[in-house]
């Protein structure tokens, strides 16, 4: 009987694991942390957990409440690396950085309870676009201000972004950059 | 108009179950089938569902048909939690597959949520144990994926 139980357990698990729809349905109920850990279980689970539709739900779950229109942004995010990238590289660190400055909070709890503000989302989207722009290669490395500047324009903007966050600049800094209206709106 | 007829269902191990029409049509598949054939005396074969699991599915559907108008949503949720609480992993997965096969959306959601709850806050090795999954990643692949997801293995946010 014990042997039959083990065989049955294996075949049930195989059925579910082999069923892409079933795995997707289960993963829809996971938070970001659990989804990331699940991707480490096996090859099939890695592929299933990398489905960007799952990460889109995680990222955008609370956007309507923040007044952010998902439809317009979705195709842009997809082009610039997808929602998983947006979450892992920008939304999650931004959220944990903000929370860490307030209290000692477990990052798993943050992911379960987080409701990003519109500003946090816009900042993350802007940083995602900067990163994407930097990767465009020669196009992105035009010298800035007409000088023989070795740093690329997006890298410069990124560094300046960090300075602005630290309070280094006042309100008028970004007026010359017409290509990043989100940044201007955020810092004006 | 609610039909009063009974519907016969045959499990994969050839056991016959008789249920009310309203209970049967909780399943989208059966709803579609009965919509074409109407109520008949012959049993509808469910090749992928054993008698043990079909009995549980029928319990679930019978409760939800009766509960829809008389019991509060909160109480229904409590009943659902009790329904899945003590299910062993094999039965839970069987129930999930049956709900998917039969197209019973609520039961599918409930079983998927329960499986997800059992995955949450577990390490990959624990998840493999629970689901009896073979780790088919090479050490290098596993290391690479762990690095990719390093942020998820951090316990505390450092101030």
């Amino acid at each position: 009987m014990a042997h039959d139980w083990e065989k049955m357990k294996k075949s049930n698990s195989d059925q579910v694991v082999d069923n892409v729809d079933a795995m997707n349905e289960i993963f829809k109920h996971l938070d970001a942390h659990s989804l990331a850990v699940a991707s480490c279980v096996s090859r099939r689970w890695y592929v299933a957990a990398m489905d960007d539709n799952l990460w889109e739900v995680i990222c955008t779950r609370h956007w309507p409440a923040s007044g952010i229109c998902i439809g317009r942004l979705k195709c842009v995010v997809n082009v610039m690396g997808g929602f998983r990238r947006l979450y892992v590289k920008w939304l999650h660190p931004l959220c944990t950085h903000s929370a860490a400055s307030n209290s000692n909070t477990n990052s798993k709890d943050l992911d379960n309870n987080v409701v990003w503000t519109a500003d946090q989302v816009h900042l993350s989207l802007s940083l995602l676009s900067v990163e994407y722009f930097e990767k465009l290669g020669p196009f992105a490395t035009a010298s800035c201000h007409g000088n023989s500047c070795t740093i690329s324009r997006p890298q410069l903007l990124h560094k300046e972004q960090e300075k602005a966050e630290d309070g280094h600049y006042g309100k008028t800094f970004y007026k010359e950059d017409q290509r990043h209206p989100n940044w201007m709106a955020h810092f004006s | 108009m609610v039909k009063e007829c009974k519907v016969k269902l045959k499990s994969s191990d050839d056991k016959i179950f008789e249920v009310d029409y309203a209970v049967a049509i909780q399943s989208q598949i059966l709803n579609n089938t009965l919509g074409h054939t109407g109520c008949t005396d012959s049993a509808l074969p469910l090749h992928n569902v054993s008698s043990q699991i079909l009995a549980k599915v029928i319990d679930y559907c019978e409760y939800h048909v009766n509960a829809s108008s008389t019991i509060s949503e909160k109480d229904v949720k409590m009943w659902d939690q009790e329904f899945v609480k003590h299910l062993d992993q094999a039965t839970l997965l069987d129930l999930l597959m049956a709900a998917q096969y039969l197209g019973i959306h609520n039961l599918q959601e409930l079983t998927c949520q329960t499986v997800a709850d059992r995955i949450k806050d577990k390490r990959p090795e624990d998840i493999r144990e629970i689901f009896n999954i073979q780790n088919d990643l090479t050490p290098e692949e596993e290391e690479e994926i762990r690095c990719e997801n390093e942020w998820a293995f951090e316990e505390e946010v450092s101030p």
Side-chain angles (χ1 to χ4, degrees):
Chain A
M1 284 300 272
H3 177 68
D4 285 344
W5 168 259
E6 285 303 310
K7 272 174 71 176
M8 193 167 67
K9 201 166 95 168
K10 191 169 184 175
S11 67
N12 290 336
S13 297
D14 286 346
Q15 270 187 40
V16 173
V17 168
D18 287 347
N19 187 312
V20 171
D21 291 337
M23 289 310 300
N24 197 265
E25 286 302 318
I26 294 168
F27 281 176
K28 275 180 188 170
H29 293 90
L30 291 180
D31 55 86
H33 268 85
S34 303
L35 192 55
V37 171
S39 71
C40 303
V41 167
S42 71
R43 284 195 179 147
R44 276 188 197 272
W45 280 50
Y46 175 77
V47 170
M50 288 294 117
D51 182 349
D52 212 54
N53 291 317
L54 296 169
W55 292 94
E56 181 189 330
V57 172
I58 288 171
C59 289
T60 65
R61 186 170 270 159
H62 303 293
W63 285 12
S66 307
I68 301 162
C69 178
I70 300 166
R72 289 165 59 192
L73 292 169
K74 186 176 167 176
C75 54
V76 175
V77 172
N78 284 335
V79 166
M80 291 195 294
F83 282 93
R84 186 178 175 276
R85 189 168 193 84
L86 175 67
Y87 180 87
V88 173
K89 288 220 71 176
W90 307 115
L91 278 173
H92 174 75
L94 189 67
C95 181
T96 51
H97 177 75
S98 301
S101 59
N102 297 326
S103 62
N104 279 330
T105 312
N106 185 293
S107 62
K108 275 187 257 181
D109 291 336
L110 276 174
D111 278 332
N112 291 340
N113 301 317
V114 71
V115 179
W116 292 291
T117 63
D119 281 348
Q120 285 175 319
V121 173
H122 283 139
L123 180 58
S124 300
L125 289 167
S126 297
L127 291 169
L128 182 73
S129 68
V130 164
E131 184 195 32
Y132 174 74
F133 194 49
E134 280 182 337
K135 283 179 186 170
L136 290 180
F139 176 73
T141 55
S143 61
C144 39
H145 304 292
N147 297 328
S148 55
C149 173
T150 54
I151 193 170
S152 72
R153 192 182 181 93
Q155 284 170 331
L156 178 67
L157 287 170
H158 195 170
K159 282 186 179 297
E160 298 304 332
Q161 160 72 11
E162 286 176 319
K163 282 186 188 174
E165 277 186 292
D166 293 338
H168 191 87
Y169 292 108
K171 287 184 182 179
T172 59
F173 175 68
Y174 282 109
K175 61 183 175 186
E176 70 170 279
D177 183 12
Q178 300 300 322
R179 288 178 298 175
H180 297 276
N182 283 344
W183 289 30
M184 289 182 68
H186 183 70
F187 290 102
S188 61
Chain B
M1 188 169 68
V2 177
K3 286 194 183 177
E4 296 293 334
C5 61
K6 297 279 188 188
V7 176
K8 285 184 185 159
L9 305 172
K10 188 165 81 168
S11 67
S12 59
D13 46 346
D14 292 332
K15 286 204 175 131
I16 307 287
F17 293 79
E18 201 172 73
V19 299
D20 289 337
Y21 182 84
V23 172
I25 59 168
Q26 299 263 301
S27 152
Q28 280 303 307
I29 298 297
L30 294 178
N31 187 30
N32 294 341
T33 306
L34 291 168
H36 285 118
T37 62
C39 288
T40 63
D41 270 339
S42 50
L44 297 172
L46 302 176
H47 300 297
N48 291 358
V49 189
S50 68
S51 56
Q52 184 210 2
I53 296 301
L54 186 53
K56 287 218 170 304
V57 171
I58 290 170
D59 280 345
Y60 178 90
C61 292
E62 278 177 347
Y63 177 82
H64 277 258
V65 162
N66 294 328
S68 57
S69 51
T70 54
I71 303 177
S72 73
E73 205 176 306
K74 187 180 163 191
D75 287 339
V76 169
K77 278 199 173 134
M78 276 181 56
W79 187 93
D80 282 351
Q81 291 310 310
E82 275 305 307
F83 182 72
V84 289
K85 198 171 171 183
H86 301 293
L87 290 180
D88 57 79
Q89 197 66 16
T91 307
L92 180 62
L93 293 177
D94 263 342
L95 209 48
L96 190 159
M97 295 303 292
Q100 193 185 39
Y101 171 68
L102 292 167
I104 306 171
H105 179 72
N106 289 350
L107 182 57
Q108 192 178 353
E109 280 288 302
L110 176 63
T111 48
C112 285
Q113 179 70 62
T114 309
V115 173
D117 289 344
R118 294 186 186 188
I119 292 175
K120 279 178 194 173
D121 300 331
K122 300 279 194 314
R123 300 170 305 167
E125 41 274 26
D126 298 329
I127 297 171
R128 287 183 201 121
E129 176 67 30
I130 291 168
F131 285 85
N132 199 20
I133 294 172
Q134 281 281 64
N135 182 7
D136 55 357
L137 298 163
T138 64
E140 294 77 25
E141 285 168 345
E142 194 168 351
E143 179 61 30
E144 197 179 324
I145 296 172
R146 286 255 183 173
C147 283
E148 234 178 86
N149 295 286
E150 202 178 8
W151 58 275
F153 291 91
E154 289 161 9
E155 286 301 317
E156 293 280 328
V157 174
S158 48

